[in-house]
Amino acid sequence: MAEKKGRQLNYELLRILAMLMVVCLHYLSKGGFLGDAARASISAAGYAAWLLEAFCLVAVNVYVLISGYFGAGTKTKDVLRRPLNIWKQVIFYSAVIGAIAIITGIQQFDIYQIFTYIFPTVTEHYWFATSYIILCFFMPFLDRGVETLDKKNFQKLLCAFLLVFCLAKTVIPMQLAWDQYGYDAFWFVTIYLTGAYIRHYGVPLLNRRIKAFMLYAGSALLTFASFLALRQVYFMTGSFGEFIHYAYTYNHLLCYLGAIGLFMAFDERFDKKADGKGSLPERIRKPIELVSGATFGVYLIHEHINIRYLWVEWFSCKDWIDASLAGFLGHMIVTVFTVYCTCTLIEIVRKRVVATVRKKLR
């Protein structure tokens, strides 16, 4: 596969979509819309929530896939630059929002909480940031290793990772000792290697966008179908109640395949024309990259330990749990887009202020 230079607009749009999905996941879970999977009665809105959860679950894997796809070629001299930049952004929001929470009375003064603000990575204030920063330390070594492997050995390595961290938990109906549901750095390494493999060799079976979309949609629908089937098994036998939402984990095979499907559906190669240009006009590059560059900030703001359950209260999510299907969907769309746009604006302003201060200090 030809070496790709710079960022592709399609994948920048995918980054935005992935973070929108993350906000949706938090809306559904922290807003209480999923509820107990083993409860006897679920409303139409409740089933819709579980269906949307299945379609949005791929977001985290997609986000890491993008890093793997563009990560090849990281220079050894830059080994600390990426994790340090991420760490600075993480600690900024952790400390600043924490200080505001204490000053405004949202959070009472607590020494343990202070340590959580100051050391957000080691305390897993943000689980994704912790796992991603660990991944960043390994990226140069992974990239160098990938460059030395031929296709056959790369496939063997990737299959070994998938066997241990994905296939085993998918087929064995029990909690495995090392299974962290995809919240750990080992799973991120697996996804990163998958992105690197796609960069080098592509996915020949997904040679058309419709096939990629079908893989994504099919994986999500099968995840939801497993939820429905296991509910029936539970009601008939009284067993496997804790496994009803077993497929709703980042390292389940269905979520893994769905992420690859959605990722490949945004591949710009499907849009290449005779002149070699993509389908998206260059005039929209700046606004897309502006919003895309703020996605991590969106996560850090709305998932801050003092904010993650507060914003669902601000939008009165509990009042809409038993609403009609139309009411639930309408409330979700308004809430998710409001939260996303607000956090995006805050992050853009932060980056502008930081850039201005740096310019003046030079």
Side-chain angles (χ1 to χ4, degrees):
M1 180 179 294
E3 186 77 10
K4 291 181 171 53
K5 299 180 179 181
R7 293 291 187 179
Q8 299 179 21
L9 292 186
N10 285 30
Y11 284 127
E12 295 307 296
L13 285 174
L14 179 58
R15 196 189 305 273
I16 296 171
L17 175 61
M19 190 51 64
L20 272 171
M21 287 178 166
V22 168
V23 179
C24 284
L25 291 173
H26 295 155
Y27 169 87
L28 295 171
S29 59
K30 294 176 173 61
F33 294 97
L34 298 177
D36 182 7
R39 66 188 186 275
S41 177
I42 298 182
S43 65
Y47 282 116
W50 280 102
L51 179 60
L52 289 168
E53 179 86 354
F55 273 92
C56 293
L57 194 65
V58 301
V60 171
N61 288 348
V62 165
Y63 211 87
V64 181
L65 273 173
I66 295 174
S67 296
Y69 186 74
F70 289 101
T74 301
K75 303 300 181 183
T76 304
K77 65 180 181 180
D78 296 328
V79 64
L80 291 179
R81 180 180 300 175
R82 191 169 192 172
L84 280 177
N85 286 339
I86 295 174
W87 176 81
K88 287 187 290 185
Q89 189 178 0
V90 171
I91 198 170
F92 172 84
Y93 279 116
S94 178
V96 170
I97 296 178
I100 294 174
I102 293 175
I103 293 172
T104 58
I106 294 176
Q107 170 66 48
Q108 294 183 350
F109 183 85
D110 180 89
I111 190 63
Y112 174 79
Q113 201 75 309
I114 297 298
F115 278 112
T116 302
Y117 297 148
I118 300 175
F119 305 103
T121 304
V122 295
T123 59
E124 289 198 356
H125 181 159
Y126 303 99
W127 75 264
F128 177 87
T130 298
S131 296
Y132 193 79
I133 288 175
I134 294 174
L135 170 65
C136 286
F137 286 118
F138 286 100
M139 283 182 182
F141 306 101
L142 293 172
D143 293 341
R144 186 66 63 86
V146 164
E147 296 299 331
T148 63
L149 291 175
D150 57 28
K151 183 177 181 180
K152 186 175 181 179
N153 282 312
F154 197 167
Q155 289 175 339
K156 289 180 179 179
L157 176 66
L158 187 55
C159 286
F161 270 87
L162 289 173
L163 178 62
V164 175
F165 299 110
C166 179
L167 295 176
K169 72 85 48 75
T170 300
V171 301
I172 301 176
M174 62 179 291
Q175 175 63 42
L176 301 177
W178 62 78
D179 182 18
Q180 300 297 319
Y181 306 111
Y183 290 87
D184 56 300
F186 284 116
W187 178 243
F188 278 24
V189 169
T190 306
I191 296 297
Y192 185 87
L193 288 174
T194 302
Y197 181 87
I198 294 174
R199 174 187 176 89
H200 282 77
Y201 306 110
V203 185
L205 291 177
L206 303 179
N207 56 3
R208 296 179 59 193
R209 176 163 285 138
I210 185 63
K211 291 183 179 180
F213 269 120
M214 287 176 64
L215 177 61
Y216 162 61
S219 298
L221 291 174
L222 283 175
T223 298
F224 182 63
S226 73
F227 167 79
L228 299 178
L230 287 172
R231 267 178 58 83
Q232 293 304 312
V233 171
Y234 169 71
F235 291 136
M236 292 173 61
T237 66
S239 303
F240 301 106
E242 67 274 21
F243 288 100
I244 292 177
H245 49 77
Y246 189 64
Y248 284 81
T249 52
Y250 300 129
N251 60 343
H252 193 280
L253 181 60
L254 289 176
C255 185
Y256 174 77
L257 293 176
I260 293 175
L262 183 59
F263 181 84
M264 291 301 297
F266 278 75
D267 195 331
E268 278 194 347
R269 290 174 299 170
F270 294 134
D271 301 318
K272 294 296 182 183
K273 300 177 182 179
D275 58 5
K277 297 181 179 179
S279 64
L280 295 174
E282 284 296 310
R283 64 176 178 273
I284 66 173
R285 174 176 292 277
K286 187 173 181 179
I288 289 177
E289 291 183 343
L290 181 67
V291 176
S292 174
T295 53
F296 192 58
V298 172
Y299 166 73
L300 295 176
I301 296 170
H302 88 278
E303 259 298 280
H304 188 278
I305 195 169
N306 292 124
I307 301 294
R308 62 181 58 161
Y309 290 103
L310 193 58
W311 64 267
V312 295
E313 292 183 10
W314 291 340
F315 287 92
S316 304
C317 291
K318 289 185 177 180
D319 296 339
W320 294 85
I321 293 177
D322 297 319
S324 64
L325 178 59
F328 156 68
L329 292 176
H331 183 265
M332 182 193 72
I333 292 172
V334 172
T335 301
V336 168
F337 273 95
T338 301
V339 170
Y340 188 90
C341 292
T342 301
C343 294
T344 296
L345 180 60
I346 293 172
E347 171 62 4
I348 290 175
V349 171
R350 183 199 70 85
K351 293 177 72 173
R352 293 280 177 85
V353 171
V354 170
T356 302
V357 172
R358 285 178 177 174
K359 186 176 181 179
K360 290 184 177 179
L361 292 177
R362 289 177 181 174

